[in-house]
Amino acid sequence: MSAHPDSAAVGAPAVLAEVKPAVLPRPVLVANNRNYTWITDKICSLIEGPTPTWWWVCFIVAIFVASFTIAGLTYLVGTGVGVWGHRSPVNWAWDIVNFVFWIGIGHAGTLISAILCLLRQKWRTSINRAAEAMTIFAVACAGLFPLFHVGRVWMAWYLFPISNANAIWQNFRSPLEWDVFAVSTYGTVSVCFWYVGLIPDLAVLRDRFTLAGHNLRAWLYGLFAMGWRGSNRHWRNYEMAYLILAGISTPLVLSVHTIVSFDFAVSLLPGWHTTIFPPYFVAGAIFSGFGMVLTLMLPLRAIYHLEDLITQYHIDNICKITLATGTMVGYAYAMEFFIAWYGSNPYEGFAFINRAFGNYAWAYWIMITCNVITPQFFWFKAVRQNTTLVWVLSIFVNVGMWFERFVIIVTSLARDFLPSSWGYYSPSIVEIFTFFGTFGVFSTLFLLFIRFLPIMPMAEIKAVTQQADPHGGGDRH
Amino acid sequence: MSKAYGIIAAFDDTREIFQACEQVRDAGYTQWDALTPFPIHGLDRAMGLRRSKVPRLSLIGGIAGFCTGMALIWWTGAADFRLIVGGKPYFSPMFAFPISYELSILFTAFATILGMFFLNRLPMHYHPVLKQPQFARATSDRFFIVIEATDPKFDAARTRALLVQAGGKDIVEIEG
Amino acid sequence: MSAPVPPPPAPRSDQALYVGLAGIATTGFGLMFSPLKMVAFAWLVGVMFWTAITIGMLLLVLIHHIFDASWSTIIRRQYEHWLSAFKWLALLFLPLLVLSWMPRHSGLVWSWMDPATPLPGGHGTVGTDVLYVKKSAFLNLNLFTIATIAFFAVWVFLSCKLRKHSFAQDADGDAVWTLKNRWWAAAGIPLAALSLTFASILWVKSLEYHWFSTMYGVWFFSNCVRGALSMGVLMMLWLYHRGDYAGLLNRNHLHSIGQLVFAFTVFWGYVSFSQYFLIWNANIPEETFWYNLREQGDWYWVGMLILFGHFFVPFLYLLSYKHKVVHAWIRPIVIWVLALIFVDICYNILPAIKDARGDPLPFLSLTLLWSLTAVIGVGGICVWAYLRSFPTTKLIPIRDPRIAECLVYHESSHE
């Protein structure tokens, strides 16, 4: 038993002699005590091996689904934004719902890579790469909706402060303008973070392809590996940079969804203007993102036999975070309802009664069931250990969070202050196709990712194995 | 034959390279490096390296981003083209905050990544150790120490002896 | 290796008790100079300040267990000792409850308790105020009393469970105590979250019952945790310099807790900014009046002090690694944070005392003095409770499954 006191030459305090920890081993992060070589081979083999048949099948299906988005958007550009179902008073609907939905999914990726990195949760290493990829692809899908909702998409550069012929500037008082900056910063920083994480692994692939004589592939991976050679002088700066990126990504991910919530909360509309929106949206985003992580990782784990790298412990943790954030979202629902009553504003009170019992009540109760009740199953170990059930529940989470945005956006707009202007919104077929297709866009990108890039950060996984501790943490010493 | 770049020695696990690094450090070498497939805890200190300077660059980036945001919104709204929108003031740090905040993060990220590349002198697609056939394992499962010939204490025979004594295997000289 | 160093003698607790009693007595003495209302408000500030910190410690222990954390094992035992203060805090809250039940003084602190309280500006009384009538199902004395008892019951109960299990483990070294505490942490976090939210609504927000904000519970939570972390740092340093923690505490422990102080500074800033910003931007009178009142007189400067002192100063200060790990650097900032939590709580409570025109009475006043003496009084009792519990167990949880990991906790250090 040795301690590392600040000042040298202090005798060990007497209490140290009594320290005799109870035995409660921590779960191992890489099961079956796999060594470095196994980890490298396992992850690289997914790229080096022949393309599996299932991949082609999925890829073709994904491309087919993605074509719906392309068709929908082409039709929209050719005809006008009126092909979507928005009518006064509901001028924001599926487009913004889908935008917030996809952005929210992206947030789990940043959360896993950044916040869990800062909290030193080492279990993140098995899932962070895929989760970060998910972030980038989700942000890409999210960006499509507001971009095309502006109507004349070729004028989208008006959103950026580039001086134009009218000599007026963007309205920086508008949360929509903040969104432009938030989402583009988020996309850029996520790509940077992802790429920095990839560099050491690209070097691994470069070296393996060089040995195997695949010169073109070695050259391509080598180009992006930047000449990485694992120098410890480099690792020192690299680790610091990675930590800083994690450090800034954490407030970034919070701010992005905060600003998304500002889109609603700075307005005066009952049901939108409430001060808890920022943390509530962030909790919801993390919740939906972790749902999506489960949806994506569980099939991958089964197909690629990654049980040694994504262990039951990983699944347990993701389920628990889903439970925690789902319950936080439940807290926010309750708080909104309570304060709507406590605030005694009749419009606010009506907005909430209308949500629960009005003509969109079906959406509200789907939301409550999926977001508040579904995660409560994760209290039970038996549920968490049943992978199929966890996967099914994760789908419910995804559905529930889509409905949450739908409920917030559409119910408040459809029933605003004047009964004479009330309306009922239904999506048009173009809208439905466009949204449906984004799942194809997302899947296509994700399939390309798992085919061509290492789906797990090899260097980071090796660093959390027991044998990586030079001071004898493992049983080898 | 071109001039030697240095001597490379291989090690099999983290404990070996850790102790070897301490020995090389204590022998007074400065122009040398450890090549590892992943960052090893405490190896910086074993090599006698100081804390990274990346944070300073990041901080500069962050401050620059924040000022850019505030200046942009002040100049466009309160100086270049004054326009009342929504009854809000021409300029207020309140509504300028979200964008300034995002820009400070964006600029911090750029400063951090570019700073890391700059401090590491990357990209460098050609490097003598990359030519070494056994090096391929340095990114996978083996650990290496390279002592460069430019080090003032470098002496082919004595340096090799030090690496042997430190437990190095497959010791070879590499050409520059 | 040198011979084991015996621990220094256990600290004496009676001095803290005397300080506490003196503080309470001085606050009581204030009745000779100030009306009962001012002293009662000051007392509320004192009780809220320490209740917030103690709730924060409860949360940190719960969070420690739910995360299966290792480094915080070193400070957890101190938090557990401090949690014994909850029953005393309940006792110290009692005068406010008693006052509420006294027909003559009901409505003195929480104006809605007495329907006859006149509204500022001559707009009738609370009893005829439609905004009160609508809320009266929640804001009434019976529910207030039951809820107050329930909050303290939850906190005392959770503290007892956590303490008992942790102390029992010292004796038999059974890992099952850790598992039990983990279970209670999972159950306790929702309970603690709800109780602290509604405590903040009932005890503080309802002082100005017209105002509402869904963020309020989250704001209170952030101050609770900041206070608890700051007290944690002070306890660590105190025990280190007394000699107890010598050889146990290393700079990585301080770095980790310092990072949390930093993180919650950001979180507090985020929550407070969001609340202010949304109200500022929407500009609805029924919400903005709360902040408008706080721009009157010297309260404006208090607001500025909070903005800069409670966020920017600790934020910039704690960016540096050195400021988180060097004792002489981290100590002043956590004291500063504690002082600003006091100011923040004053900012939320004291402007509810209005003059005849409905403007808040100034911050710099006798009420502030009595608030300070109340903080000293209640604080003395809390410290006394902590010191009384301190010698009853080992300094650190010697049989905790993570204690060895905690003691060799390092990021990059190697002997």
Side-chain angles (χ1 to χ4, degrees):
Chain A
M1 182 82 271
S2 74
H4 298 253
D6 263 346
S7 47
V10 179
V15 71
L16 270 186
E18 297 177 74
V19 168
K20 204 172 108 197
V23 179
L24 187 66
R26 278 189 191 278
V28 289
L29 297 171
V30 179
N32 295 330
N33 207 10
R34 301 293 193 180
N35 61 19
Y36 310 133
T37 324
W38 184 86
I39 295 170
T40 315
D41 288 344
K42 176 80 199 174
I43 296 172
C44 291
S45 69
L46 307 182
I47 301 166
E48 293 163 347
T51 309
T53 316
W54 67 262
W55 189 89
W56 277 115
V57 173
C58 292
F59 189 69
I60 289 164
V61 172
I63 291 272
F64 174 69
V65 175
S67 68
F68 280 76
T69 293
I70 297 165
L73 293 178
T74 312
Y75 182 62
L76 178 136
V77 171
T79 316
V81 81
V83 299
W84 283 352
H86 313 106
R87 300 290 179 271
S88 181
V90 185
N91 285 312
W92 272 7
W94 270 40
D95 54 337
I96 306 297
V97 174
N98 300 337
F99 162 70
V100 182
F101 172 76
W102 277 116
I103 281 276
I105 283 179
H107 284 356
T110 321
L111 183 101
I112 289 170
S113 46
I115 300 185
L116 297 184
C117 174
L118 294 183
L119 291 175
R120 306 205 178 82
Q121 298 288 306
K122 291 179 179 166
W123 58 272
R124 65 184 267 285
T125 51
S126 295
I127 48 173
N128 75 332
R129 172 71 45 73
E132 286 164 30
M134 182 185 88
T135 298
I136 295 166
F137 307 148
V139 172
C141 290
L144 287 178
F145 290 97
L147 195 66
F148 281 86
H149 190 201
V150 301
R152 286 179 284 174
V153 66
W154 54 94
M155 308 279 268
W157 62 275
Y158 266 48
L159 293 167
F160 291 94
I162 302 165
S163 64
N164 56 49
N166 302 321
I168 56 170
W169 294 102
Q170 288 66 32
N171 175 17
F172 290 107
R173 301 157 188 82
S174 162
L176 302 182
E177 185 63 22
W178 308 338
D179 251 357
V180 172
F181 279 81
V183 174
S184 48
T185 299
Y186 186 49
T188 314
V189 174
S190 298
V191 171
C192 291
F193 194 26
W194 191 56
Y195 174 63
V196 168
L198 270 168
I199 290 173
D201 287 355
L202 294 175
V204 176
L205 286 161
R206 171 199 65 198
D207 293 342
R208 287 174 69 97
F209 281 126
T210 311
L211 276 188
H214 291 293
N215 287 336
L216 176 66
R217 288 202 248 175
W219 184 81
L220 274 171
Y221 283 105
L223 183 68
F224 289 100
M226 294 266 174
W228 184 263
R229 52 184 191 275
S231 151
N232 195 54
R233 288 174 195 273
H234 289 177
W235 278 121
R236 178 182 55 133
N237 291 323
Y238 174 89
E239 279 208 290
M240 183 56 84
Y242 197 80
L243 198 66
I244 293 173
L245 287 174
I248 59 170
S249 296
T250 305
L252 174 64
V253 68
L254 296 185
S255 74
V256 171
H257 228 63
T258 297
I259 290 176
V260 169
S261 82
F262 283 170
D263 289 348
F264 311 104
V266 299
S267 72
L268 306 181
L269 204 63
W272 283 14
H273 174 68
T274 178
T275 50
I276 206 172
F277 254 33
Y280 153 39
F281 265 53
V282 171
I286 293 166
F287 175 63
S288 70
F290 271 91
M292 194 53 125
V293 168
L294 286 171
T295 311
L296 292 173
M297 291 312 281
L298 292 179
L300 271 186
R301 175 183 189 250
I303 293 168
Y304 282 150
H305 302 291
L306 299 170
E307 287 83 0
D308 286 345
L309 294 171
I310 304 174
T311 63
Q312 181 59 41
Y313 175 64
H314 292 95
I315 298 175
D316 269 350
N317 278 335
I318 302 175
C319 289
K320 286 176 188 168
I321 293 184
T322 312
L323 169 61
T325 47
T327 311
M328 281 181 213
V329 169
Y331 169 93
Y333 294 157
M335 202 45 58
E336 274 189 317
F337 237 99
F338 175 71
I339 298 292
W341 172 81
Y342 178 87
S344 307
N345 178 328
Y347 297 101
E348 193 78 21
F350 170 77
F352 281 89
I353 299 293
N354 181 50
R355 269 187 199 176
F357 305 107
N359 45 8
Y360 287 107
W362 53 275
Y364 183 81
W365 294 107
I366 292 176
M367 166 188 104
I368 292 283
T369 315
C370 293
N371 290 355
V372 184
I373 299 173
T374 306
Q376 305 307 323
F377 286 102
F378 291 143
W379 282 103
F380 306 102
K381 199 172 186 177
V383 174
R384 298 195 302 261
Q385 285 177 339
N386 183 337
T387 317
T388 319
L389 188 55
V390 170
W391 190 79
V392 172
L393 290 174
S394 80
I395 299 288
F396 276 101
V397 170
N398 291 324
V399 172
M401 281 311 290
W402 188 87
F403 272 97
E404 180 195 294
R405 281 68 177 247
F406 181 81
V407 166
I408 292 172
I409 294 170
V410 175
T411 58
S412 284
L413 286 172
R415 291 283 179 275
D416 63 1
F417 300 95
L418 279 178
S420 59
S421 62
W422 287 359
Y424 189 87
Y425 161 84
S426 317
S428 76
I429 193 76
V430 181
E431 237 167 332
I432 296 171
F433 274 15
T434 310
F435 177 54
F436 172 67
T438 50
F439 288 95
V441 174
F442 180 83
S443 310
T444 308
L445 294 168
F446 201 79
L447 284 164
L448 289 171
F449 158 69
I450 60 177
R451 185 71 202 107
F452 292 106
L453 290 171
I455 60 168
M456 292 184 187
M458 292 178 257
E460 288 191 61
I461 292 181
K462 288 171 195 166
V464 298
T465 55
Q466 289 186 329
Q467 49 194 321
D469 184 356
H471 316 124
D475 40 18
R476 288 172 54 145
H477 311 300
Chain B
M1 182 180 155
S2 56
K3 199 168 163 289
Y5 170 76
I7 295 184
I8 189 166
F11 298 86
D12 283 329
D13 67 26
T14 52
R15 163 162 285 208
E16 282 181 17
I17 189 156
F18 193 90
Q19 288 165 350
C21 280
E22 288 180 322
Q23 291 183 30
V24 177
R25 173 195 66 191
D26 294 341
Y29 286 92
T30 50
Q31 306 285 88
W32 62 289
D33 210 341
L35 306 178
T36 60
F38 55 87
I40 298 169
H41 269 316
L43 200 63
D44 290 352
R45 194 171 294 191
M47 282 180 69
L49 302 179
R50 278 197 295 274
R51 265 177 94 80
S52 166
K53 291 199 170 58
V54 173
R56 296 175 197 189
L57 299 168
S58 309
L59 186 66
I60 295 170
I63 294 168
F66 192 80
C67 296
T68 307
M70 284 287 171
L72 170 75
I73 294 168
W74 172 81
W75 185 75
T76 54
D80 185 53
F81 201 123
R82 292 158 77 94
L83 194 64
I84 291 179
V85 183
K88 298 270 187 308
Y90 293 120
F91 175 77
S92 161
M94 295 303 291
F95 66 69
F97 187 77
I99 287 178
S100 309
Y101 182 91
E102 296 303 328
L103 286 180
S104 35
I105 287 180
L106 185 67
F107 284 32
T108 310
F110 287 154
T112 306
I113 293 169
L114 296 178
M116 187 268 284
F117 282 137
F118 172 73
L119 291 172
N120 284 347
R121 305 290 185 273
L122 290 178
M124 185 186 284
H125 287 96
Y126 176 83
H127 193 275
V129 300
L130 292 178
K131 290 196 304 186
Q132 204 58 26
Q134 59 163 343
F135 167 76
R137 288 184 66 188
T139 50
S140 168
D141 54 5
R142 223 162 177 220
F143 308 86
F144 296 86
I145 287 180
V146 185
I147 301 181
E148 292 171 24
T150 49
D151 191 291
K153 298 200 72 161
F154 185 85
D155 173 284
R158 257 185 291 158
T159 304
R160 177 181 283 265
L162 173 72
L163 287 171
V164 169
Q165 188 212 337
K169 302 173 191 83
D170 303 335
I171 302 175
V172 280
E173 279 188 32
I174 15 181
E175 292 171 13
Chain C
M1 197 165 194
S2 47
V5 180
R12 286 176 53 191
S13 59
D14 47 355
Q15 286 157 344
L17 180 64
Y18 299 145
V19 170
L21 291 175
I24 294 170
T26 319
T27 315
F29 191 62
L31 285 170
M32 295 174 63
F33 300 93
S34 300
L36 174 60
K37 181 169 180 158
M38 313 295 170
V39 178
F41 265 86
W43 187 246
L44 180 63
V45 170
V47 175
M48 281 314 294
F49 178 78
W50 291 106
T51 308
I53 288 174
T54 314
I55 296 173
M57 294 194 188
L58 175 65
L59 289 167
L60 287 176
V61 175
L62 294 170
I63 291 168
H64 167 94
H65 286 299
I66 206 86
F67 271 101
D68 192 9
S70 62
W71 71 264
S72 44
T73 315
I74 192 155
I75 185 69
R76 200 193 73 214
R77 177 54 53 84
Q78 310 311 321
Y79 287 151
E80 286 163 355
H81 288 313
W82 187 285
L83 290 184
S84 65
F86 263 132
K87 53 183 179 293
W88 301 108
L89 284 167
L91 188 70
L92 293 168
F93 197 92
L94 203 59
L96 292 168
L97 212 52
V98 170
L99 206 62
S100 307
W101 278 97
M102 287 162 68
R104 256 177 356 108
H105 299 305
S106 187
L108 201 62
V109 178
W110 292 279
S111 61
W112 48 265
M113 283 180 183
D114 182 7
T117 312
L119 295 176
H123 298 294
T125 62
V126 166
T128 60
D129 181 0
V130 65
L131 284 178
Y132 172 69
V133 174
K134 284 204 162 191
K135 298 175 193 195
S136 57
F138 176 68
L139 295 182
N140 60 68
L141 190 51
N142 291 327
L143 195 134
F144 183 88
T145 312
I146 294 166
T148 302
I149 294 168
F151 299 150
F152 278 109
V154 166
W155 300 332
V156 170
F157 173 77
L158 285 175
S159 310
C160 285
K161 281 282 172 204
L162 294 168
R163 278 162 56 87
K164 197 180 116 204
H165 295 161
S166 172
F167 297 168
Q169 193 171 47
D170 275 10
D172 63 8
D174 195 341
V176 76
W177 299 115
T178 304
L179 298 175
K180 279 189 178 180
N181 266 346
R182 209 175 286 170
W183 191 90
W184 275 107
I189 287 177
L191 278 177
L194 283 178
S195 55
L196 83 88
T197 303
F198 280 97
S200 70
I201 294 175
L202 269 178
W203 295 347
V204 186
K205 189 160 84 175
S206 83
L207 289 168
E208 284 154 293
Y209 63 86
H210 285 180
W211 189 66
F212 53 91
S213 166
T214 39
M215 186 72 109
Y216 209 71
V218 189
W219 164 81
F220 188 64
F221 162 79
S222 67
N223 264 335
C224 290
V225 177
R226 288 185 82 180
L229 289 167
S230 304
M231 279 306 291
V233 173
L234 287 183
M235 291 194 286
M236 277 179 169
L237 298 183
W238 176 67
L239 287 172
Y240 184 85
H241 290 282
R242 241 175 59 87
D244 302 83
Y245 267 8
L248 300 177
L249 184 76
N250 66 44
R251 62 168 54 205
N252 294 317
H253 295 125
L254 275 177
H255 188 218
S256 295
I257 199 168
Q259 280 179 318
L260 283 183
V261 177
F262 176 78
F264 274 89
T265 301
V266 176
F267 184 70
W268 178 92
Y270 168 60
V271 170
S272 304
F273 173 78
S274 298
Q275 177 172 290
Y276 181 85
F277 183 71
L278 290 176
I279 290 173
W280 178 86
N281 218 317
N283 205 11
I284 305 175
E286 62 200 45
E287 292 176 341
T288 48
F289 82 90
W290 195 85
Y291 282 110
N292 285 340
L293 282 175
R294 283 158 178 77
E295 285 174 7
Q296 312 262 326
D298 58 2
W299 286 106
Y300 174 80
W301 298 106
V302 179
M304 286 294 137
L305 175 67
I306 291 174
L307 169 64
F308 287 95
H310 209 18
F311 177 69
F312 282 107
V313 169
F315 173 79
L316 294 172
Y317 190 94
L318 287 167
L319 279 174
S320 149
Y321 174 77
K322 186 176 75 177
H323 292 176
K324 282 181 268 208
V325 300
V326 177
H327 297 186
W329 283 106
I330 179 101
R331 187 184 289 111
I333 196 67
V334 293
I335 294 172
W336 173 258
V337 168
L338 285 170
L340 264 295
I341 291 173
F342 168 75
V343 176
D344 197 15
I345 286 177
C346 286
Y347 186 78
N348 277 266
I349 291 179
L350 294 182
I353 318 175
K354 310 257 182 6
D355 61 16
R357 288 175 50 237
D359 290 336
L361 295 183
F363 173 65
L364 292 176
S365 62
L366 277 180
T367 316
L368 178 63
L369 182 67
W370 310 133
S371 302
L372 282 169
T373 58
V375 164
I376 293 169
V378 181
I381 301 295
C382 290
V383 173
W384 170 67
Y386 163 70
L387 292 178
R388 243 167 50 112
S389 178
F390 183 83
T392 59
T393 67
K394 294 289 175 195
L395 178 67
I396 48 175
I398 48 169
R399 309 299 304 273
D400 188 280
R402 303 289 172 249
I403 185 69
E405 220 175 296
C406 168
L407 292 174
V408 297
Y409 177 61
H410 58 79
E411 282 161 301
S412 56
S413 66
H414 180 66
E415 262 179 348

PDB file of all heavy atoms in Angstrom, chain C residues 10 28 66 69 93 119 122 131 150 191 199 232 281 318 381:
ATOM      1  N   ALA C  10      -8.384  14.101  18.243  1.00  0.00           N
ATOM      2  CA  ALA C  10      -9.642  14.497  17.617  1.00  0.00           C
ATOM      3  C   ALA C  10      -9.927  15.965  17.923  1.00  0.00           C
ATOM      4  O   ALA C  10      -9.642  16.442  19.024  1.00  0.00           O
ATOM      5  CB  ALA C  10     -10.773  13.621  18.124  1.00  0.00           C
ATOM      6  N   GLY C  28     -30.791  36.847  17.751  1.00  0.00           N
ATOM      7  CA  GLY C  28     -31.935  37.120  18.610  1.00  0.00           C
ATOM      8  C   GLY C  28     -31.859  38.524  19.192  1.00  0.00           C
ATOM      9  O   GLY C  28     -32.855  39.248  19.274  1.00  0.00           O
ATOM     10  N   ILE C  66     -23.665   6.235  -6.950  1.00  0.00           N
ATOM     11  CA  ILE C  66     -24.284   5.800  -8.206  1.00  0.00           C
ATOM     12  C   ILE C  66     -23.219   5.662  -9.288  1.00  0.00           C
ATOM     13  O   ILE C  66     -23.330   4.828 -10.178  1.00  0.00           O
ATOM     14  CB  ILE C  66     -25.404   6.794  -8.626  1.00  0.00           C
ATOM     15  CG1 ILE C  66     -26.430   6.066  -9.485  1.00  0.00           C
ATOM     16  CG2 ILE C  66     -24.896   7.966  -9.406  1.00  0.00           C
ATOM     17  CD1 ILE C  66     -27.478   5.382  -8.716  1.00  0.00           C
ATOM     18  N   ALA C  69     -17.697   5.780  -7.861  1.00  0.00           N
ATOM     19  CA  ALA C  69     -16.509   6.613  -8.001  1.00  0.00           C
ATOM     20  C   ALA C  69     -15.428   6.170  -7.037  1.00  0.00           C
ATOM     21  O   ALA C  69     -15.712   5.539  -6.024  1.00  0.00           O
ATOM     22  CB  ALA C  69     -16.870   8.073  -7.732  1.00  0.00           C
ATOM     23  N   PHE C  93     -35.034  25.211  11.736  1.00  0.00           N
ATOM     24  CA  PHE C  93     -36.095  25.714  10.867  1.00  0.00           C
ATOM     25  C   PHE C  93     -37.378  25.935  11.671  1.00  0.00           C
ATOM     26  O   PHE C  93     -38.230  26.734  11.290  1.00  0.00           O
ATOM     27  CB  PHE C  93     -36.357  24.733   9.725  1.00  0.00           C
ATOM     28  CG  PHE C  93     -37.129  25.327   8.579  1.00  0.00           C
ATOM     29  CD1 PHE C  93     -36.475  25.906   7.511  1.00  0.00           C
ATOM     30  CD2 PHE C  93     -38.511  25.343   8.586  1.00  0.00           C
ATOM     31  CE1 PHE C  93     -37.173  26.479   6.470  1.00  0.00           C
ATOM     32  CE2 PHE C  93     -39.228  25.913   7.547  1.00  0.00           C
ATOM     33  CZ  PHE C  93     -38.550  26.489   6.484  1.00  0.00           C
ATOM     34  N   LEU C 119     -51.428  44.064  -0.141  1.00  0.00           N
ATOM     35  CA  LEU C 119     -50.530  44.001  -1.291  1.00  0.00           C
ATOM     36  C   LEU C 119     -49.856  45.354  -1.453  1.00  0.00           C
ATOM     37  O   LEU C 119     -50.441  46.383  -1.119  1.00  0.00           O
ATOM     38  CB  LEU C 119     -51.318  43.668  -2.559  1.00  0.00           C
ATOM     39  CG  LEU C 119     -51.965  42.288  -2.579  1.00  0.00           C
ATOM     40  CD1 LEU C 119     -52.784  42.131  -3.846  1.00  0.00           C
ATOM     41  CD2 LEU C 119     -50.919  41.209  -2.492  1.00  0.00           C
ATOM     42  N   GLY C 122     -51.367  49.345  -2.390  1.00  0.00           N
ATOM     43  CA  GLY C 122     -52.774  49.479  -2.076  1.00  0.00           C
ATOM     44  C   GLY C 122     -53.705  48.741  -3.011  1.00  0.00           C
ATOM     45  O   GLY C 122     -54.792  49.204  -3.341  1.00  0.00           O
ATOM     46  N   LEU C 131     -54.392  35.971  -7.997  1.00  0.00           N
ATOM     47  CA  LEU C 131     -53.225  35.112  -8.221  1.00  0.00           C
ATOM     48  C   LEU C 131     -52.930  34.242  -7.010  1.00  0.00           C
ATOM     49  O   LEU C 131     -52.386  33.156  -7.134  1.00  0.00           O
ATOM     50  CB  LEU C 131     -52.001  35.954  -8.577  1.00  0.00           C
ATOM     51  CG  LEU C 131     -51.988  36.504  -9.997  1.00  0.00           C
ATOM     52  CD1 LEU C 131     -50.754  37.362 -10.216  1.00  0.00           C
ATOM     53  CD2 LEU C 131     -52.037  35.373 -11.013  1.00  0.00           C
ATOM     54  N   ALA C 150     -41.892  16.767   5.745  1.00  0.00           N
ATOM     55  CA  ALA C 150     -41.561  15.674   4.830  1.00  0.00           C
ATOM     56  C   ALA C 150     -40.168  15.860   4.234  1.00  0.00           C
ATOM     57  O   ALA C 150     -39.404  14.898   4.129  1.00  0.00           O
ATOM     58  CB  ALA C 150     -42.603  15.591   3.711  1.00  0.00           C
ATOM     59  N   LEU C 191     -35.759  11.184  -5.059  1.00  0.00           N
ATOM     60  CA  LEU C 191     -36.372  11.748  -3.848  1.00  0.00           C
ATOM     61  C   LEU C 191     -35.732  13.077  -3.485  1.00  0.00           C
ATOM     62  O   LEU C 191     -36.421  14.072  -3.202  1.00  0.00           O
ATOM     63  CB  LEU C 191     -36.183  10.784  -2.675  1.00  0.00           C
ATOM     64  CG  LEU C 191     -37.161   9.627  -2.552  1.00  0.00           C
ATOM     65  CD1 LEU C 191     -36.764   8.742  -1.378  1.00  0.00           C
ATOM     66  CD2 LEU C 191     -38.564  10.176  -2.336  1.00  0.00           C
ATOM     67  N   ALA C 199     -38.750  22.302  -1.924  1.00  0.00           N
ATOM     68  CA  ALA C 199     -38.298  23.142  -0.818  1.00  0.00           C
ATOM     69  C   ALA C 199     -37.940  24.524  -1.335  1.00  0.00           C
ATOM     70  O   ALA C 199     -38.299  25.541  -0.728  1.00  0.00           O
ATOM     71  CB  ALA C 199     -37.101  22.486  -0.138  1.00  0.00           C
ATOM     72  N   GLY C 232     -16.300  20.918   0.920  1.00  0.00           N
ATOM     73  CA  GLY C 232     -15.464  19.718   0.822  1.00  0.00           C
ATOM     74  C   GLY C 232     -13.996  20.083   0.692  1.00  0.00           C
ATOM     75  O   GLY C 232     -13.138  19.496   1.364  1.00  0.00           O
ATOM     76  N   ASN C 281     -35.553  38.275 -22.636  1.00  0.00           N
ATOM     77  CA  ASN C 281     -35.876  38.286 -24.047  1.00  0.00           C
ATOM     78  C   ASN C 281     -37.378  38.329 -24.287  1.00  0.00           C
ATOM     79  O   ASN C 281     -37.857  39.055 -25.158  1.00  0.00           O
ATOM     80  CB  ASN C 281     -35.285  37.038 -24.702  1.00  0.00           C
ATOM     81  CG  ASN C 281     -34.748  37.344 -26.075  1.00  0.00           C
ATOM     82  OD1 ASN C 281     -35.371  38.050 -26.850  1.00  0.00           O
ATOM     83  ND2 ASN C 281     -33.589  36.819 -26.382  1.00  0.00           N
ATOM     84  N   LEU C 318     -10.402  29.406 -11.965  1.00  0.00           N
ATOM     85  CA  LEU C 318     -10.245  27.956 -11.892  1.00  0.00           C
ATOM     86  C   LEU C 318      -9.846  27.334 -13.221  1.00  0.00           C
ATOM     87  O   LEU C 318      -9.699  26.117 -13.312  1.00  0.00           O
ATOM     88  CB  LEU C 318     -11.540  27.318 -11.389  1.00  0.00           C
ATOM     89  CG  LEU C 318     -11.809  27.532  -9.891  1.00  0.00           C
ATOM     90  CD1 LEU C 318     -13.228  27.163  -9.539  1.00  0.00           C
ATOM     91  CD2 LEU C 318     -10.836  26.727  -9.051  1.00  0.00           C
ATOM     92  N   ILE C 381     -23.621  25.484  14.511  1.00  0.00           N
ATOM     93  CA  ILE C 381     -24.312  24.254  14.908  1.00  0.00           C
ATOM     94  C   ILE C 381     -23.971  23.118  13.940  1.00  0.00           C
ATOM     95  O   ILE C 381     -23.719  21.979  14.343  1.00  0.00           O
ATOM     96  CB  ILE C 381     -25.841  24.493  14.944  1.00  0.00           C
ATOM     97  CG1 ILE C 381     -26.188  25.605  15.934  1.00  0.00           C
ATOM     98  CG2 ILE C 381     -26.579  23.221  15.281  1.00  0.00           C
ATOM     99  CD1 ILE C 381     -25.872  25.291  17.373  1.00  0.00           C
TER     100      ILE C 381
END
